[in-house]
Amino acid sequence: MKSLIVLSALTLVGACANTKYSKRLEQLQDNIVVKDSTTVAKFANTITLEELKDQLYKISSQDFEGRKVGTKGQKLAANYIKSFYIDNNIQAAGDNSSYFQEIPKSFLPKDYETSENVLAYIKGTTNQTIIISGHFDHLGIEHGEINYGADDNGSGTVAIMQIAQAFKIAEQQGFKPKNNILFLHLTAEEIGLQGSLYYTKNPKFNLTNTIANLNIDMIGRVDDAHANNPNYIYLIGADRISKELHFISEKVNKTSTNLTLDYKYNDEDDPNHYYYRSDHYNFAQKQIPVIFYFNGTHKDYHKPSDTPEKINYQLLTKRTKLIFSTAWYLANMDRPLILNEDI
């Protein structure tokens, strides 16, 4: 009987604790108010299908030879991204006031040459930073065929560029963000998340003051599960470190694009383990809240047939606008996100 009594007491304590936790979560959710939706929509609408398409056809063109780490094609892609930021007067954030963060050959796996992340930023008024990231490398040429990587991850690359341009237009019109916004184009994701690992070991903005990472990796296609309902995006990781980030993401979506947010791959028992397979994971390892935006795989995944004419540009545009709108909220927070351990 004593064991049963003790167990019952513990159950009551646990139930009480769970109730308090649920109330704190409810309060946290209620306190999130999405303001200035009209202003955000105005600048989100500067992200256009035509520009995304034009840039994606370039980044996944034959000229860049599949953007394999350390090759001529990858470096041509890096310079194309750099030129975009110069043309849009968006400041460099790399080594020695350049747009590149060089990753030495010694850091990379054997047989890969020196590579570089591409970094640009818009300065805020605080010392906090949000990072919008995505890898621009791909598989290069295999068996004599170019792996074009239009979805993986040309789609994420051009989305970041368009988001950066939208924030710059906003800044020019008097809407300067409170927090720094780093646009981080990562190399060497395909060979083990090496570009993001290098950045987290050699950050250009203090990781302690980095409040979130929004990572974009494949957002231009529709997977088989959503063939009849393409108005979706998979979100992975949003609630794992900061449930507040998850609540912000959901509220922003409801006031902007109203996509179906699919959390299938956020399940900790997901056999695909996508949470560990893109660049956000290195930021999550540092306890930085993350969201990984993903459309799921398709028959052209990691094949030469991943080409730009197969991209759903209308959907790519809508997903890019969602990420911009979420970033806008985070860029204008006056405090860090509340972590789960502090709820």
Side-chain angles (χ1 to χ4, degrees):
M1 284 293 292
K2 286 184 179 179
S3 296
L4 181 60
I5 292 170
V6 171
L7 180 60
S8 298
L10 288 172
T11 302
L12 287 170
V13 171
C16 182
N18 285 337
T19 300
K20 289 180 179 179
Y21 180 72
S22 296
K23 286 183 177 178
R24 288 197 295 270
L25 280 181
E26 186 177 345
Q27 184 179 23
L28 181 65
Q29 188 172 17
D30 290 344
N31 286 341
I32 295 167
V33 178
V34 178
K35 300 178 181 178
D36 303 323
S37 296
T38 302
T39 301
V40 178
K42 171 186 173 181
F43 295 111
N45 286 334
T46 67
I47 296 167
T48 67
L49 182 154
E50 292 76 17
E51 286 182 287
L52 285 164
K53 186 173 184 178
D54 180 67
Q55 290 165 345
L56 185 48
Y57 265 84
K58 182 63 176 179
I59 206 77
S60 57
S61 68
Q62 185 174 346
D63 293 345
F64 295 164
E65 300 179 341
R67 311 186 302 277
K68 183 176 180 179
V69 176
T71 65
K72 173 187 172 184
Q74 179 259 302
K75 294 179 184 300
L76 285 172
N79 277 293
Y80 172 71
I81 297 166
K82 169 188 169 181
S83 294
F84 171 84
Y85 287 112
I86 292 172
D87 291 345
N88 283 273
N89 197 29
I90 299 172
Q91 193 169 342
D95 301 333
N96 302 315
S97 300
S98 75
Y99 287 90
F100 293 157
Q101 180 183 44
E102 184 174 296
I103 303 176
K105 179 179 174 66
S106 59
F107 186 85
L108 297 168
K110 185 180 177 181
D111 299 329
Y112 288 94
E113 298 300 322
T114 299
S115 190
E116 51 278 317
N117 295 325
V118 186
L119 293 77
Y121 83 113
I122 293 175
K123 184 174 176 57
T125 57
T126 75
N127 66 350
Q128 296 185 142
T129 303
I130 72 161
I131 297 175
I132 304 172
S133 67
H135 74 94
F136 71 98
D137 66 302
H138 194 52
L139 304 178
I141 300 172
E142 296 179 326
H143 311 295
E145 291 189 275
I146 297 173
N147 290 279
Y148 294 96
D151 190 32
D152 185 12
N153 182 35
S155 61
T157 300
V158 299
I160 296 170
M161 292 161 67
Q162 282 294 296
I163 289 168
Q165 186 180 64
F167 272 112
K168 186 63 181 180
I169 292 169
E171 181 191 43
Q172 290 169 338
Q173 295 187 22
F175 293 90
K176 188 178 183 67
K178 288 183 179 178
N179 302 319
N180 304 313
I181 310 169
L182 174 62
F183 308 104
L184 179 57
H185 297 267
L186 294 157
T187 188
E189 189 269 357
E190 297 286 11
I191 59 172
L193 317 184
Q194 296 298 299
S196 54
L197 179 61
Y198 189 83
Y199 179 85
T200 57
K201 288 178 177 291
N202 303 275
K204 297 299 180 179
F205 294 85
N206 193 320
L207 294 182
T208 304
N209 296 326
T210 299
I211 63 174
N213 168 229
L214 305 182
N215 184 56
I216 314 169
D217 193 351
M218 299 174 57
I219 61 164
R221 296 282 295 269
V222 175
D223 68 1
D224 289 343
H226 295 87
N228 297 319
N229 178 27
N231 190 55
Y232 80 100
I233 186 75
Y234 290 110
L235 266 61
I236 303 171
D239 64 346
R240 295 206 184 191
I241 298 171
S242 171
K243 292 187 184 298
E244 183 180 28
L245 177 58
H246 167 74
F247 294 144
I248 289 168
S249 169
E250 291 211 318
K251 286 199 174 183
V252 168
N253 180 54
K254 286 179 181 178
T255 61
S256 58
T257 53
N258 205 30
L259 285 159
T260 296
L261 305 182
D262 193 325
Y263 299 105
K264 173 183 176 180
Y265 295 129
N266 192 46
D267 188 332
E268 292 191 17
D269 294 324
D270 168 38
N272 298 286
H273 302 295
Y274 288 128
Y275 180 68
Y276 307 96
R277 289 172 55 183
S278 192
D279 288 304
H280 62 280
Y281 184 63
N282 282 318
F283 294 98
Q285 290 281 81
K286 300 293 186 181
Q287 283 300 103
I288 295 169
V290 301
I291 302 178
F292 170 23
Y293 297 91
F294 180 51
N295 54 217
T297 58
H298 44 76
K299 65 180 181 180
D300 300 308
Y301 173 68
H302 276 198
K303 293 180 180 178
S305 52
D306 180 9
T307 49
E309 75 276 5
K310 295 178 180 177
I311 297 294
N312 183 326
Y313 287 96
Q314 185 174 0
L315 191 55
L316 172 59
T317 305
K318 194 170 186 179
R319 289 166 172 169
T320 303
K321 288 180 178 181
L322 169 63
I323 300 164
F324 168 79
S325 301
T326 306
W328 181 285
Y329 188 103
L330 297 170
N332 288 288
M333 290 186 70
D334 54 10
R335 59 167 177 79
L337 287 161
I338 297 171
L339 305 184
N340 294 344
E341 62 192 34
D342 297 324
I343 297 174

